[in-house]
Amino acid sequence: MAGANASANLYLLLQTCQVNGIDCYRYLRALFIALPKAQTVDDYTALLPWRIDLSMA
């Protein structure tokens, strides 16, 4: 069940990228670079598709 939830969350995140006109590959690259550094709620909020800085990707 946890695997299905994780897959659904990833699919939803990538669909959000598409709806907002964000390149999914660049988003995932930037996310995987920034995610280990996130520590606070604000850090995680900054990683949402419409807020993340894609210049890191």
Side-chain angles (χ1 to χ4, degrees):
M1 187 79 158
N5 286 336
S7 294
N9 287 334
L10 181 59
Y11 180 72
L12 179 63
L13 195 58
L14 294 178
Q15 285 297 335
T16 301
C17 286
Q18 288 182 339
V19 167
N20 288 288
I22 299 167
D23 180 353
C24 294
Y25 178 77
R26 287 187 66 212
Y27 172 71
L28 287 176
R29 279 185 48 99
L31 178 66
F32 292 145
I33 290 169
L35 192 57
K37 301 171 193 166
Q39 295 180 354
T40 66
V41 171
D42 290 335
D43 292 342
Y44 288 106
T45 302
L47 299 178
L48 293 170
W50 55 89
R51 292 192 174 188
I52 195 167
D53 178 11
L54 292 180
S55 66
M56 294 188 265

